[in-house]
Amino acid sequence: MVTDFEKRFGVLAVERGYITRDQLLEAMKLQVEQGLDGMEHRLLGSLLFDMGYMSIGQVNEVIEAIKQSE
């Protein structure tokens, strides 16, 4: 299941120009497929980093932006 945090993470990452909408959808699809295969749940930031779409700095910037908005 996609949490509110992950929805915001993806939206912010796209809004900041770090990833495209298609890259976000690809990562979300992979996240769901892995869950259906019984694999451990992975956060979108981790997936996007491992896929080479975001740097660790970009992931951290999005996380910080989320923390500041709460």
Side-chain angles (χ1 to χ4, degrees), residues 4-66:
D4 287 341
F5 173 83
E6 291 165 41
K7 289 179 188 174
R8 288 183 283 154
F9 183 97
V11 169
L12 278 173
V14 171
E15 287 176 351
R16 288 175 176 245
Y18 296 152
I19 59 171
T20 66
R21 179 183 169 147
D22 287 341
Q23 289 169 328
L24 173 59
L25 293 173
E26 181 183 350
M28 292 173 72
K29 180 181 175 189
L30 179 60
Q31 188 182 49
V32 170
E33 287 173 349
Q34 288 180 349
L36 292 172
D37 289 341
M39 298 173 70
E40 184 175 334
H41 177 76
R42 295 181 59 205
L43 297 176
L44 284 175
S46 175
L47 284 168
L48 289 162
F49 173 77
D50 288 345
M51 295 168 85
Y53 293 150
M54 291 182 73
S55 70
I56 194 68
Q58 291 170 328
V59 170
N60 287 334
E61 285 180 30
V62 172
I63 291 169
E64 285 304 312
I66 291 168

